[in-house]
Amino acid sequence: MLAFVAASGPARLSHPCLVRAQTLMQAAMRRLAKEFYQILAANRDLLDPESVSVRSACSSVSEEPDYDEALAGGESISEVESAAAIAMANLRAIADTMVSAGYSKECVTTYQTLRKCIVDEGLCRLGFERISLAHVLKLDWSMLELKVRSWLGASRVALRTLFHGERVLLDHVFAGSNTVREALFADIAGDAAVHFLSFPVSVAKSKRSPEKLFRLLDLYDTIVELWPEIELGFSFESTAVVRAQALASLSKLAETASATLADFESAILRESSRLAVPGGGVHPMTRYTMNYISLLADYGSSLAEIFADCPLQTPSHIPDFFLDTSQAPAVHPPASCPSSSGTTTSSYDSVVAEQLAWLVFALLCKLDGKTETYQDVGLSYLFLANNLQYIESKVRSCQLLELLGEEWAARHAAKARQHSARYERVAWGGVAAEIPKGEVSAGEAGERMRAFIAALEAACATQAGWVVADPGMREEVREAVRGMVVPAFRGFYARWHAALEDVAVASYSPDVVRERLGKLFSG
């Protein structure tokens, strides 16, 4: 046809031979379009994105396996792979023919109709359903969390298998036309990918609550992890909207995560319950807050990136020594994070540690205020010792120690010991004072012995329900109290017990005192 037109000139474009040739061309293209459809439909299982993705696992998107060469070279491939290779080779041959003949629209429409359905069905099988922001905002957290879990479970398969496999197949079938490949991929996978990657934004826009924070961080981590696949798989200019959506999701998740953490901080500072914990034990707020912070520590890299963009406001009046985390190891940003390239590594060294240390500081400030609920000064010191010991123990048992450092933990352990020492002086100093240090008469010795026994029994009765929650600290405090009382009493008892007329008093031996003190602090 081209040769006929060139030889005959424009005047003969309506020549019957040319018309006949055009009719034959159209018939041939209809037949090829039908053949194209039949190959795609009949080999749907062989050409599903997962199978294509697996077969191309050793090849990049730009270096798809050459099935034509594999067939021509007679390479040893399985029966299934052979059938897939034949189908892909035929699809490529038809596509090349139709595009070169000017019938790309018919070819593209056929391909687009079938493959778009496969992508949508693939996402549906993975458990992802397109839901509007309005729908998300109406869901309670239990239902929304199920959808978040479903998204997290589907994300890696969707990006690494579904969209990647579709891109590999498309790159092979339409290898002869970059324009066609780009337009087709944008239409088949672009819209689905945008909807898929916009779901985290909807979650981030739902009502904030502390329990949602960890799911927000899971979503953030997953997008950061999959960013290389997003950037490479949707590298076309026409799919820039997919990359932009991924970055927008990261930004919104970071913003909401930072705001949620600020809400958590405010909740600590606003906590106003006046109920005293029985026995001066660990306050429920301490357990909840430290469990929460310890879970946050597992997201150190993500938090470093988030705090770099959306830092919490740490009050300037906090003592520098409290936030000194200079001994803590550096926290580095994730290597694959799309927004970390402009941030120096040094900026990550202490930002997470300082923010988490501030949350602990806010907790300790509230605990210090709660000592007012105890009328007994000794019990208030024991309360502080218990809670500080729990905080230090919790830090040592998780990733927090890596963030805050050994020196930070040691400082707070020493502070807990200071509180326990103050408790010992306040609660047992008066009892120990009843034991005379100098010489006394026999009559006075009896009076002092009775006074000591009364003071000891009164202290034991008062502290019968007091607790030291940590087993190690419990033994340390018991030994410290014994050390204040038993040695001095032993010497006094050895000097005067034989002269005591009161048998009951005389039988109150140092071993009895030691045993009596050994029953303390179990609640």
Side-chain angles (χ1 to χ4, degrees), residues 12 49 169 236 299 301 388 455:
R12 300 186 62 187
L169 179 62
F236 292 129
Y299 295 89
S301 296
L388 256 172

Side-chain angles (χ1 to χ4, degrees), residues 140-304:
D140 59 38
W141 175 233
S142 61
M143 290 300 299
L144 182 55
E145 186 180 23
L146 289 176
K147 293 190 179 298
V148 171
R149 287 176 179 269
S150 178
W151 189 94
L152 291 170
S155 58
R156 291 168 182 81
V157 179
L159 271 302
R160 292 174 176 166
T161 300
L162 183 62
F163 296 129
H164 171 70
E166 198 60 43
R167 172 78 188 263
V168 169
L169 179 62
L170 190 61
D171 283 353
H172 179 82
V173 174
F174 291 96
S177 175
N178 292 334
T179 303
V180 171
R181 283 192 296 129
E182 179 173 348
L184 258 180
F185 188 67
D187 185 79
I188 293 172
D191 181 61
V194 167
H195 277 86
F196 186 78
L197 290 171
S198 66
F199 174 75
V201 174
S202 298
V203 178
K205 288 182 178 180
S206 64
K207 184 178 180 181
R208 296 198 305 265
S209 62
E211 65 269 20
K212 291 183 180 180
L213 177 58
F214 300 105
R215 288 302 173 206
L216 294 174
L217 294 174
D218 286 336
L219 291 168
Y220 186 95
D221 276 349
T222 300
I223 296 176
V224 168
E225 176 191 340
L226 295 173
W227 173 252
E229 283 84 357
I230 296 170
E231 190 173 35
L232 183 62
F234 296 91
S235 58
F236 292 129
E237 185 62 32
S238 60
T239 55
V241 63
V242 177
R243 304 193 300 275
Q245 180 60 64
L247 296 177
S249 294
L250 283 177
S251 178
K252 185 59 181 178
L253 288 168
E255 176 189 332
T256 304
S258 181
T260 303
L261 201 52
D263 292 343
F264 176 69
E265 171 196 329
S266 298
I268 297 174
L269 298 175
R270 289 197 311 268
E271 207 279 339
S272 58
S273 65
R274 304 296 296 172
L275 184 65
V277 178
V282 180
H283 198 283
M285 181 181 70
T286 304
R287 295 184 187 276
Y288 175 77
T289 302
M290 289 308 301
N291 287 338
Y292 196 90
I293 295 174
S294 68
L295 288 174
L296 285 175
D298 293 335
Y299 295 89
S301 296
S302 297
L303 289 175

Side-chain angles (χ1 to χ4, degrees), residues 233-485:
F234 296 91
S235 58
F236 292 129
E237 185 62 32
S238 60
T239 55
V241 63
V242 177
R243 304 193 300 275
Q245 180 60 64
L247 296 177
S249 294
L250 283 177
S251 178
K252 185 59 181 178
L253 288 168
E255 176 189 332
T256 304
S258 181
T260 303
L261 201 52
D263 292 343
F264 176 69
E265 171 196 329
S266 298
I268 297 174
L269 298 175
R270 289 197 311 268
E271 207 279 339
S272 58
S273 65
R274 304 296 296 172
L275 184 65
V277 178
V282 180
H283 198 283
M285 181 181 70
T286 304
R287 295 184 187 276
Y288 175 77
T289 302
M290 289 308 301
N291 287 338
Y292 196 90
I293 295 174
S294 68
L295 288 174
L296 285 175
D298 293 335
Y299 295 89
S301 296
S302 297
L303 289 175
E305 182 68 24
I306 289 170
F307 288 152
D309 296 330
C310 309
L312 294 179
Q313 297 302 312
T314 304
S316 58
H317 62 268
I318 298 177
D320 291 338
F321 76 87
F322 193 92
L323 295 183
D324 179 15
T325 54
S326 57
Q327 301 302 314
V331 178
H332 301 295
S336 60
C337 186
S339 57
S340 63
S341 57
T343 309
T344 60
T345 300
S346 61
S347 66
Y348 290 89
D349 289 352
S350 62
V351 60
V352 176
E354 288 182 1
Q355 298 290 6
L356 297 186
W358 154 241
L359 291 176
V360 178
F361 181 79
L363 169 63
L364 289 176
C365 289
K366 293 301 295 185
L367 292 173
D368 193 60
K370 289 184 182 299
T371 58
E372 298 174 359
T373 60
Y374 297 101
Q375 296 182 353
D376 191 298
V377 176
L379 183 56
S380 68
Y381 281 129
L382 194 63
F383 169 75
L384 290 175
N386 273 316
N387 283 269
L388 256 172
Q389 173 64 30
Y390 180 85
I391 290 170
E392 185 261 346
S393 177
K394 192 69 176 179
V395 166
R396 289 188 180 279
S397 69
C398 65
Q399 189 67 23
L400 275 171
L401 185 62
E402 293 295 319
L403 288 169
L404 301 180
E406 176 65 35
E407 185 176 332
W408 188 99
R411 282 202 306 270
H412 289 77
K415 193 70 175 177
R417 289 192 293 272
Q418 289 175 11
H419 287 310
S420 64
R422 288 168 183 158
Y423 150 76
E424 293 153 12
R425 288 195 299 271
V426 170
W428 294 97
V431 177
E434 294 295 340
I435 305 171
K437 294 181 173 59
E439 286 295 324
V440 295
S441 64
E444 187 179 358
E447 290 298 322
R448 296 298 292 272
M449 179 72 81
R450 281 187 286 274
F452 167 76
I453 293 173
L456 179 68
E457 289 299 326
C460 288
T462 298
Q463 300 180 44
W466 295 12
V467 299
V468 178
D470 181 76
M473 184 179 176
R474 185 185 309 137
E475 286 306 312
E476 288 178 6
V477 175
R478 280 175 180 165
E479 285 303 311
V481 172
R482 286 168 176 159
M484 291 178 64
V485 175

